[in-house]
């Protein structure tokens, strides 16, 4: 027996929204999904008329849906945004090389300019080369630290006002859990922020902050969007995977777990007496850091010295090298390569 769409539009429902449980037809689901993101953008004051926005594009479902929805909302509500795609090529054979082809397809389909920056050009190393040095542990530590800075560099090159990333509600809930499990108070405090910015950093925002991953997949499927769905070859060893499994199990018991965890993270307050790291600029490369020398410079120094584990953890050797780097002048062989 067909079920009528919950909006009383007269059509039959073809899906049940994971977020609300509403039975909707395809068109009403599209409208509900897009309107919620529009409200997130407006309530969070994410953009200003005339802003240049770089969409962090990986070719995956989240960034593909983000690019498509931002283009749609920009036209529907006349945001007046200048949209770009910004991709980082980590140099992961069998993963990023293929997913970048999808981003190029997005560029053509959505008529957005695309900028691709590679780890090889920025740091002198591909992720494949890094993994050959460090083995299959801590891969995401290197990759995440380098990607964060690479996006900042790309955004600076494009001269954008803001980087919009495809982090969805599930990603944010996972990050809250990971930061609790690691006892990382500084990250715990800022990981639920919809906007992050500092005096010398380009603003970042997460328009999909309250959007469930399951609905992103549904939207991409019914809109027939082209995206790349293969997992990174280094992902199975990522710590995030354990947090994800835990979250999925929680969700089976309590369907609102994702949004509940995000709200808990948002309400969290750190006592004033707790000493928090101060964000500043790395004295070596000039990019944002919570230390005198940023993590990217330390990791890169370790790779270049043949001591790839140098920046992992807080060993005495790493502290010594940090001190050495703080006092030394830049040398071409070990410093971040400017592009
Ligand atoms: Fe990089 Fe880890 Fe993501 Fe792979 S899973 S792209 S190694 S951060």
């Amino acid at each position: 027996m067909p079920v009528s769409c919950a909006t009383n539009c007269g059509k039959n429902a073809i899906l049940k929204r994971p977020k609300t449980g509403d039975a909707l037809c395809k068109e009403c689901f599209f409208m509900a999904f897009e309107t919620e993101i529009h409200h997130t953008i407006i309530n969070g004051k994410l953009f200003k008329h005339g802003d240049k926005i770089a969409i962090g594009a990986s070719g995956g479902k989240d960034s593909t849906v983000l690019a498509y929805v931002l283009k749609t909302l920009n036209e529907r509500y006349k945001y007046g945004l200048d949209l770009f795609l910004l991709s980082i090529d980590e140099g992961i054979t069998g993963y990023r090389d293929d997913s970048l082809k999808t981003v190029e397809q997005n560029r053509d389909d959505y008529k957005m300019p695309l900028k691709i920056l590679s780890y090889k050009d920025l740091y002198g190393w591909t992720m494949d080369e890094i993994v050959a040095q460090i083995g299959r542990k801590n891969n995401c530590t290197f990759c995440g630290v380098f990607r964060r800075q690479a996006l900042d560099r790309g955004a600076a090159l494009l001269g954008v006002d803001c980087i919009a990333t495809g982090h969805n509600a599930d990603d944010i809930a996972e990050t809250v859990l990971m930061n609790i499990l690691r006892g990382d108070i500084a990250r715990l405090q800022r990981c639920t922020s919809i906007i992050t910015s500092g005096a010398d950093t380009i603003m970042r925002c997460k328009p999909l902050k309250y959007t469930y991953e399951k609905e992103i997949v549904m939207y991409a499927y019914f809109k027939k969007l082209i995206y790349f769905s293969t997992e990174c070859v280094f992902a199975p060893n990522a710590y995030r995977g354990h947090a994800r499994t835990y979250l999925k199990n929680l969700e089976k018991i309590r369907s609102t777990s994702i949004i509940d965890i995000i709200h808990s993270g948002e309400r969290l307050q750190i006592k004033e007496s707790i000493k928090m790291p101060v964000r500043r600029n790395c004295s070596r490369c000039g990019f944002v850091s919570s230390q005198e020398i940023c993590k990217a410079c330390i990791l890169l120094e370790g790779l270049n010295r043949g001591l790839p584990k140098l920046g992992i953890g807080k060993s005495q050797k790493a502290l010594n090298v940090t001190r050495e780097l703080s006092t030394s002048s830049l040398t071409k062989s070990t410093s971040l390569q400017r592009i």
Side-chain angles (χ1 to χ4, degrees):
M1 177 81 178
V3 177
S4 301
C5 177
T7 63
N8 294 324
C9 69
K11 295 196 188 116
N12 286 334
I14 59 155
L15 57 87
K16 192 169 169 191
R17 279 193 74 181
K19 192 169 184 178
T20 59
D22 290 342
L24 294 178
C25 71
K26 205 160 64 174
E27 285 71 25
C28 289
F29 169 63
F30 292 156
M31 190 48 82
F33 182 92
E34 291 159 4
T35 306
E36 278 178 16
I37 297 170
H38 170 63
H39 287 150
T40 303
I41 291 169
I42 298 302
N43 294 340
K45 299 187 175 53
L46 304 194
F47 309 126
K48 292 190 306 296
H49 194 274
D51 271 355
K52 282 178 88 171
I53 309 295
I55 300 167
S58 66
K61 63 181 183 337
D62 302 313
S63 60
T64 300
V65 166
L66 178 63
Y68 181 87
V69 171
L70 280 188
K71 180 180 164 60
T72 304
L73 297 178
N74 195 28
E75 289 164 5
R76 182 181 300 157
Y77 296 105
K78 310 217 176 340
Y79 290 164
L81 303 177
D82 207 359
L83 299 171
F84 295 79
L85 297 171
L86 173 60
S87 288
I88 307 302
D89 179 1
E90 299 93 343
I92 303 175
T93 311
Y95 170 63
R96 187 56 80 217
D97 42 0
D98 291 335
S99 68
L100 284 175
K101 292 191 188 110
T102 313
V103 180
E104 284 163 356
Q105 185 68 46
N106 293 162
R107 171 199 61 198
D108 298 341
D109 292 346
Y110 308 154
K111 310 267 179 300
M112 286 181 199
L114 165 65
K115 175 87 192 155
I116 302 177
L117 289 181
S118 73
Y119 282 7
K120 187 71 179 174
D121 288 343
L122 290 172
Y123 306 110
W125 293 79
T126 64
M127 268 311 289
D128 286 345
E129 290 166 348
I130 293 171
V131 173
Q133 288 289 312
I134 64 168
R136 294 296 289 262
K137 275 181 86 180
N138 299 312
N139 303 157
C140 298
T141 303
F142 279 83
C143 193
V145 168
F146 287 161
R147 187 185 309 106
R148 185 165 179 82
Q149 196 184 74
L151 274 174
D152 279 337
R153 288 167 169 248
L157 279 175
L158 288 169
V160 298
D161 300 290
C162 173
I163 305 169
T165 59
H167 294 100
N168 61 44
D170 301 50
D171 296 330
I172 294 166
E174 282 162 25
T175 308
V176 171
L177 289 176
M178 283 166 67
N179 288 331
I180 289 171
L181 295 171
R182 285 174 172 151
D184 192 333
I185 301 292
R187 287 206 175 93
L188 187 54
Q189 191 188 36
R190 56 173 195 262
C191 72
T192 53
S193 305
I194 195 159
I195 291 177
T196 45
S197 61
D200 296 318
T201 53
I202 292 170
M203 184 180 129
R204 287 173 186 237
C205 70
K206 302 171 190 142
L208 304 184
K209 179 184 171 185
Y210 297 111
T211 310
Y212 279 29
E213 186 173 57
K214 282 180 189 154
E215 298 207 348
I216 290 173
V217 173
M218 274 183 175
Y219 185 85
Y221 173 78
F222 286 116
K223 281 278 181 187
K224 299 191 174 54
L225 301 183
I226 296 167
Y227 67 88
F228 184 78
S229 53
T230 304
E231 257 213 339
C232 169
V233 290
F234 303 134
N237 296 320
Y239 187 52
R240 178 172 287 277
H242 302 293
R244 181 167 302 166
T245 308
Y246 179 59
L247 186 63
K248 295 277 176 252
N249 287 334
L250 282 181
E251 216 189 344
K252 281 182 208 152
I253 306 164
R254 185 180 164 92
S255 60
T256 56
S257 295
I258 290 172
I259 216 74
D260 291 344
I261 291 172
I262 295 176
H263 287 153
S264 300
E266 286 172 338
R267 287 189 194 122
L268 190 105
Q269 284 193 328
I270 313 289
K271 270 197 209 161
E272 278 178 22
S273 55
I274 305 280
K275 205 168 163 232
M276 300 291 278
V278 181
R279 282 159 72 89
R280 52 181 142 170
N281 293 95
C282 170
S283 61
R284 195 168 168 77
C285 70
F287 281 89
V288 70
S289 174
S290 54
Q291 307 289 334
E292 169 84 23
I293 302 291
C294 74
K295 190 85 171 166
C297 280
I298 307 242
L299 291 174
L300 189 60
E301 185 72 17
L303 287 168
N304 290 335
R305 287 188 186 198
L307 298 166
K309 298 211 167 69
L310 193 67
I312 310 289
K314 293 188 172 85
S315 67
Q316 190 54 43
K317 207 182 254 178
L319 291 174
N320 292 343
V321 172
T322 308
R323 275 190 210 114
E324 195 186 309
L325 288 178
S326 333
T327 49
S328 73
S329 57
L330 283 170
T331 59
K332 194 167 191 304
S333 63
T334 56
S335 64
L336 289 167
Q337 294 173 21
R338 302 259 168 208
I339 53 164

